[in-house]
Amino acid sequence: MGGGALVPDVTLDRTSPVPLYFQVATRLQQQIEEGDIPVGSRLENEVELADRLGVSRPTMRRAISYLVERGMLIRKRGVGTQVVHPKVRRPVELTSLYDDLLKSGQSPRTEIREFEVRPAPDQIAEALGLPFGSEVTWIERLRYAGDEPLALMHNAVPVDLLRLRREDLERSGLYDLLRAAGLVPRMANQVVGARSATAAEARILDETRGAPLLTMTRTAWDAAGKAVEYGSHLYRASRYSFELNLTS
Amino acid sequence: MGGGALVPDVTLDRTSPVPLYFQVATRLQQQIEEGDIPVGSRLENEVELADRLGVSRPTMRRAISYLVERGMLIRKRGVGTQVVHPKVRRPVELTSLYDDLLKSGQSPRTEIREFEVRPAPDQIAEALGLPFGSEVTWIERLRYAGDEPLALMHNAVPVDLLRLRREDLERSGLYDLLRAAGLVPRMANQVVGARSATAAEARILDETRGAPLLTMTRTAWDAAGKAVEYGSHLYRASRYSFELNLTS
DNA sequence: TGACAAACTATGTCAGGACAAAGTGTTGAC
DNA sequence: GTCAACACTTTGTCCTGACATAGTTTGTCA
């Protein structure tokens, strides 16, 4: 029989506003990450599991599905549910450079080099799905990690959506400001490429002329499909690279 | 009352092995893409919709959830379900350069420059989670789009998993061969960067020395978390860039 | 002994019902 | 006229129950 790994009892709070299936999933995830449920082992079957935790099978299934989607478990009909190797877990997230630097323990600093409201260039208006000539807040920023310049960033945000203020931008990342205004970026289209630095770019970024730069242009939309941001960024290839976790 | 957009009747085949919820979702998706259900409009409520299509509410919900996850619909409790701007749809997919070229109508050609079984370098063994000294099939390929060289690709595949043959590789992309062998890449970790071409690389890729190159290193795993491939690729930045669609 | 069939196990799909919670609009009191 | 309380609509959560289907194991018969 083999049985399958024993999932420790969990305490569920049915009065909590946190959904039951989510409580179960979170608990399960913890136990997998802490090694209580070893990698490669099979879970008990859904029915027993649901029974022991005192939830219905659909709720149990939903919790498991949640972890399956995150790549922690795999299910095979007729066989069972197995814990997969914890190498890759989280799919690509929509983060900003600012967040990335914060997470990696660096201290990001931003110098605003340009800040104005002006009609969007046609190409940007099109990317944002705005009528030609619509006004956007146009920003040029230089981002430092420690004392070294890291990226030269150009962004455009429709003024109709958010009236950005220079002072706010000096303290927070653009994405934080967008989120704070309820404009949560949910989908984005990014193009990542490379090219050589022009003399002007090299001077700003403290590189030599012709140095390889990583380019990234992005349009971001909120959940309702409203374009919230256009960005065109230049990174010093010697100091930065993109890391992506893909699934499916 | 407003009502909400009318979803045309659909013909469901209950004898089909294709799940009901999937039939519903597919039909719905078609109608959205064809404009039968206009962007921005609200769907009828779940209960009516389920009723009219002759399915239960859970089934209807599952179909809708499927499209919500793909970014075509958004739901708001107490409000309804709305069709979002069809700009961004599919999240990042795990594809190969070969597939990408095929899809974009180019004719990819591959020249195999090196093909041997040998112990994996420590760094690659670690990336693949293999014991040091494990044998891999090591490949160097040059990929052309039309007559122009596009990318110089190095790959390593554990020999225990798949005994690659040079002839096969000449005809298909590596990912096709992996999939055919049941080693379906499901998760991957990619790092994208840039650097300047060395003299040797420039010669091979028909670029000048110092030209900007896009670099990509990737480890791919199958659903069970078994590492199936390591790749380290160099792209001509003048001819290629990565496009990503991110969600959430 | 070997191969095919049946039994068993586990996940996949589907139904129908009940109540909770969030958002919207309306009504009523002050 | 303004604001709060209430009703209503719609999605979110959770339950019980049932049958289908894929994979594995067991058992039987040739």
Side-chain angles (χ1 to χ4, degrees):
Chain A
M1 286 272 345
L6 192 124
V7 175
D9 282 335
V10 294
T11 49
L12 300 176
D13 180 3
R14 296 184 99 91
T15 69
S16 159
V18 178
L20 257 184
Y21 77 89
F22 195 79
Q23 292 183 41
V24 174
T26 306
R27 218 49 199 101
L28 213 53
Q29 181 178 352
Q30 267 181 28
Q31 284 156 5
I32 290 170
E33 275 169 358
E34 286 169 8
D36 293 350
I37 308 173
V39 168
S41 67
R42 280 217 304 271
L43 259 51
E44 300 164 77
N45 72 59
E46 296 175 347
V47 183
E48 276 178 32
L49 213 45
D51 222 46
R52 197 147 58 69
L53 300 189
V55 299
S56 71
R57 190 176 160 223
T59 302
M60 194 64 227
R61 267 185 77 74
R62 192 161 175 191
I64 292 177
S65 297
Y66 177 78
L67 297 181
V68 168
E69 271 160 29
R70 302 192 51 168
M72 300 187 75
L73 299 175
I74 56 169
R75 292 197 273 208
K76 279 192 202 142
R77 184 194 300 208
V79 180
T81 306
Q82 202 176 8
V83 180
V84 305
H85 197 267
K87 196 80 184 187
V88 185
R89 283 292 157 73
R90 227 163 293 268
V92 203
E93 278 174 46
L94 204 48
T95 60
S96 65
L97 177 56
Y98 194 85
D99 297 338
D100 292 344
L101 290 175
L102 268 185
K103 240 182 276 179
S104 65
Q106 314 233 31
S107 59
R109 190 166 59 81
T110 309
E111 177 190 322
I112 301 178
R113 297 169 50 86
E114 224 184 296
F115 186 97
E116 55 172 350
V117 174
R118 73 164 192 210
D122 287 359
Q123 181 213 344
I124 294 176
E126 191 174 351
L128 287 170
L130 299 174
F132 289 142
S134 302
E135 297 221 304
V136 295
T137 308
W138 176 255
I139 312 158
E140 178 179 301
R141 291 173 300 164
L142 186 58
R143 175 136 307 159
Y144 292 83
D147 286 336
E148 295 236 10
L150 185 68
L152 180 63
M153 310 184 293
H154 292 99
N155 287 89
V157 179
V159 284
D160 296 341
L161 249 61
L162 175 59
R163 196 79 202 190
L164 280 171
R165 295 189 318 166
R166 194 178 177 128
E167 310 87 85
D168 295 337
L169 208 55
E170 254 148 16
R171 273 196 313 278
S172 332
L174 177 58
Y175 266 44
D176 281 338
L177 294 178
L178 288 172
R179 268 189 282 261
L183 299 168
V184 186
R186 282 286 296 275
M187 297 182 284
N189 181 277
Q190 291 191 179
V191 177
V192 177
R195 63 176 176 81
S196 298
T198 66
E201 290 161 357
R203 199 176 52 249
I204 296 171
L205 286 168
D206 197 16
E207 285 275 356
T208 58
R209 181 153 160 270
L213 298 179
L214 206 51
T215 67
M216 191 269 279
T217 62
R218 153 163 77 184
T219 309
W221 294 268
D222 72 359
K226 207 164 42 183
V228 295
E229 180 240 359
Y230 171 88
S232 173
H233 299 183
L234 280 175
Y235 303 89
R236 296 173 70 186
S238 56
R239 296 276 184 285
Y240 192 71
S241 54
F242 289 99
E243 187 170 347
L244 310 170
N245 287 321
L246 310 184
T247 57
S248 160
Chain B
M1 284 272 353
L6 193 124
V7 175
D9 281 336
V10 295
T11 48
L12 300 175
D13 181 3
R14 283 177 175 278
T15 68
S16 159
V18 178
L20 258 184
Y21 77 90
F22 194 79
Q23 292 183 41
V24 174
T26 305
R27 217 53 195 96
L28 212 53
Q29 181 177 352
Q30 266 179 30
Q31 284 156 4
I32 290 171
E33 274 168 359
E34 286 168 9
D36 292 349
I37 307 173
V39 169
S41 67
R42 281 217 303 272
L43 260 51
E44 301 162 75
N45 72 58
E46 295 175 348
V47 183
E48 276 177 33
L49 213 45
D51 222 44
R52 197 148 59 67
L53 300 189
V55 300
S56 70
R57 190 175 161 223
T59 302
M60 194 63 227
R61 267 185 76 74
R62 189 159 177 191
I64 292 176
S65 297
Y66 178 78
L67 296 181
V68 168
E69 270 159 29
R70 303 191 51 167
M72 301 186 76
L73 299 175
I74 56 168
R75 292 196 275 206
K76 278 192 202 141
R77 181 191 304 205
V79 180
T81 306
Q82 202 176 9
V83 180
V84 305
H85 199 264
K87 195 81 184 187
V88 185
R89 282 295 156 70
R90 226 164 294 270
V92 203
E93 277 174 48
L94 203 48
T95 61
S96 66
L97 177 56
Y98 194 85
D99 297 337
D100 292 345
L101 291 173
L102 267 185
K103 241 182 274 178
S104 65
Q106 314 232 29
S107 59
R109 191 166 58 81
T110 308
E111 178 191 321
I112 300 177
R113 296 170 50 86
E114 224 185 297
F115 186 98
E116 57 171 350
V117 173
R118 73 164 191 209
D122 287 359
Q123 180 214 345
I124 294 177
E126 192 175 350
L128 288 170
L130 298 174
F132 289 141
S134 302
E135 297 221 304
V136 294
T137 308
W138 176 255
I139 311 158
E140 177 179 300
R141 293 174 299 165
L142 185 57
R143 175 136 306 158
Y144 292 82
D147 286 337
E148 294 236 10
L150 184 69
L152 181 62
M153 310 183 292
H154 292 98
N155 288 90
V157 178
V159 285
D160 296 341
L161 250 59
L162 174 60
R163 197 78 202 192
L164 281 170
R165 294 190 318 166
R166 192 176 180 131
E167 311 88 84
D168 296 336
L169 209 54
E170 254 146 18
R171 273 195 313 276
S172 332
L174 177 58
Y175 266 44
D176 282 339
L177 294 178
L178 287 172
R179 269 189 281 262
L183 300 168
V184 186
R186 282 285 296 277
M187 298 182 283
N189 181 276
Q190 291 191 178
V191 177
V192 177
R195 63 177 175 80
S196 300
T198 66
E201 289 160 358
R203 198 175 52 248
I204 295 171
L205 286 169
D206 197 16
E207 285 275 358
T208 58
R209 182 154 159 270
L213 297 179
L214 205 51
T215 66
M216 191 270 279
T217 61
R218 152 162 78 185
T219 309
W221 294 269
D222 71 359
K226 207 163 41 181
V228 295
E229 180 240 359
Y230 171 88
S232 173
H233 299 183
L234 281 175
Y235 303 88
R236 295 173 71 185
S238 56
R239 295 276 136 71
Y240 192 71
S241 54
F242 289 99
E243 187 171 348
L244 310 170
N245 288 321
L246 310 184
T247 58
S248 162

